[in-house]
Amino acid sequence: MKNSYVVLLLIFILTSVQAQKNKFNLLIGTYTNSCESKGIYTYDFDTNTGGFNLKSATENVVNPSYLTVSKNNNYVYSVNENGAESMVSSFGYNASSGKLSLINKQSSKGADPCYIINDDKNVIVANYSGGNISVFGKNSDGSISEAKQVVQHFGKGINAQRQEGPHVHMVHFSPDRKFVLSNDLGTDKVFSYQYNPNSANEVLKIKDSISVKSGSGPRHLTFSNDGKFVYLLQELDGTLTVFSYSNGLLKKIEETTILAKNFKGTFGSADIHISPDGKFLYATNRGEANTISIFKILKNGKLLSKGQTSTLGKGPRNFVIDPTGKFLLVGHQYTNDVVIFKRNVTTGTLTDTGKRIALCSPVCLVFTKI
């Protein structure tokens, strides 16, 4: 009888451990000025079923439209996109409970921050309306220092409404962390900065810049899993450009589009990600399109279009693929929900699970370990 209890206990423990392996936290940053939102929400997400449960939410956090999580999973950093009053916030993060506790805030030193990254030493922010990049040091308690460097971009593009000045839309570490790449929608350029994490005031030093098609408006980029290629999504004309990458330098090798053939109507390219296995690339498109484009990544880094799928909502601002690659989640800024798709890991195709997270204006989705 005692042996039976031991066996049952072991089965229970193994089952619990296995179940826990399939669980991740899903953090969602929102806009808080368009509908009722508390700021940042933490959900428990099951990668076996696509199911979810709300674990925690912040209180009175203004427009945390982009988030980044520390490597040790103890801290979360967010922008507070609020015009000239914009801030950057640091939170303590309890992954078990999902709770976020504000540590401190600093001025973003540029209007409307729209992207944020971090490593052990620094937090780096792209300020869209400010047209600049701000670098903040990290303290041992997870708080951030005042900005220790602000890199200002200059120039404009041919689109008088959208490119009247520089608009830094993204900062992205190179895989080896030796460089930071930055897309400027306003000047149609991608900048490459040498990254000096321990510097007191020159963390970013210009290495190179490359111009893209005039009026295309570079928004987001992503690296191939092997770090040899960069895929750049341009917001204003739907272009998707493929570059070879080496030591901070980009060289264009292919250009395609995320637009469906014969598409007529307004659009606005948004987000771009590669599946965990490195085989497929996805890119969202807003406006009247509201689609996600699917590409197979070929061995030479070039792309083969597999068509477009409706995101089943309006304003697919950001999306995320879960760490197992089984599900793809799209946040809709205007229909106030996150649509959960099942992803075929062999063909890359997406199927609606019917599951929805109802949430005010979701604009950033990030998975973390529990």
Side-chain angles (χ1 to χ4, degrees), residues 259-284:
L259 299 179
K261 288 182 179 179
N262 305 316
F263 173 79
K264 304 290 183 184
T266 61
F267 61 89
S269 308
D271 200 14
I272 183 170
H273 294 288
I274 290 174
S275 58
D277 61 12
K279 294 180 179 179
F280 294 93
L281 179 145
Y282 300 83
T284 46

Side-chain angles (χ1 to χ4, degrees), residues 57 90 252:
S90 168
K252 187 173 80 171

Side-chain angles (χ1 to χ4, degrees), residues 1-9:
M1 184 64 75
K2 186 181 286 186
N3 288 339
S4 297
Y5 281 125
V6 172
V7 170
L8 287 171
L9 181 61

Side-chain angles (χ1 to χ4, degrees), residues 45 49-52 310-312 327-329 337-343 350-358:
F45 188 84
T49 66
F52 58 89
S310 170
T311 61
L312 305 176
F327 295 94
L328 186 149
L329 289 69
D337 64 5
V338 177
V339 175
I340 301 174
F341 290 94
K342 178 74 173 175
R343 198 180 77 86
L350 303 174
T351 306
D352 181 19
T353 64
K355 294 181 172 68
R356 305 285 188 272
I357 301 175

Side-chain angles (χ1 to χ4, degrees), residues 94-287:
N94 184 317
S96 179
S97 67
K99 187 176 181 180
L100 294 168
S101 304
L102 180 67
I103 299 174
N104 78 325
K105 295 180 183 180
Q106 297 288 358
S107 168
S108 67
K109 297 297 183 181
D112 299 317
C114 61
Y115 211 94
I116 185 169
I117 58 176
N118 85 98
D119 68 356
D120 292 340
K121 299 288 185 178
N122 300 292
V123 173
I124 307 175
V125 171
N127 293 305
Y128 178 80
S129 298
N132 58 26
I133 303 168
S134 298
V135 182
F136 305 85
K138 275 189 178 182
N139 300 315
S140 58
D141 63 354
S143 64
I144 52 175
S145 69
E146 292 185 359
K148 58 183 181 179
Q149 184 184 14
V150 178
V151 179
Q152 184 65 50
H153 287 186
F154 298 93
K156 59 183 179 179
I158 64 169
N159 185 325
Q161 288 185 318
R162 295 295 309 278
Q163 297 182 309
E164 79 294 345
H167 290 305
V168 181
H169 220 310
M170 188 186 209
V171 281
H172 198 303
F173 286 118
S174 62
D176 60 9
R177 292 295 200 269
K178 292 182 179 179
F179 297 92
V180 170
L181 271 57
S182 177
N183 306 334
D184 194 318
L185 180 145
T187 64
D188 292 317
K189 288 184 177 182
V190 180
F191 293 84
S192 176
Y193 292 94
Q194 184 178 322
Y195 180 54
N196 309 298
N198 297 311
S199 175
N201 54 20
E202 199 175 22
V203 177
L204 300 178
K205 186 176 181 180
I206 190 69
K207 163 83 173 186
D208 194 33
S209 68
I210 186 169
S211 295
V212 294
K213 189 164 47 174
S214 186
S216 62
R219 180 182 172 93
H220 282 187
L221 61 76
T222 189
F223 279 83
S224 61
N225 284 15
D226 62 8
K228 294 180 179 179
F229 302 97
V230 166
Y231 300 91
L232 174 70
L233 183 61
Q234 283 108 291
E235 179 176 339
L236 302 181
D237 72 351
T239 297
L240 178 55
T241 307
V242 184
F243 299 92
S244 62
Y245 174 82
S246 178
N247 198 35
L249 301 177
L250 298 169
K251 183 179 179 181
K252 187 173 80 171
I253 60 173
E254 184 186 34
E255 206 154 72
T256 183
T257 180
I258 67 167
L259 299 179
K261 288 182 179 179
N262 305 316
F263 173 79
K264 304 290 183 184
T266 61
F267 61 89
S269 308
D271 200 14
I272 183 170
H273 294 288
I274 290 174
S275 58
D277 61 12
K279 294 180 179 179
F280 294 93
L281 179 145
Y282 300 83
T284 46
N285 195 1
R286 298 164 296 173

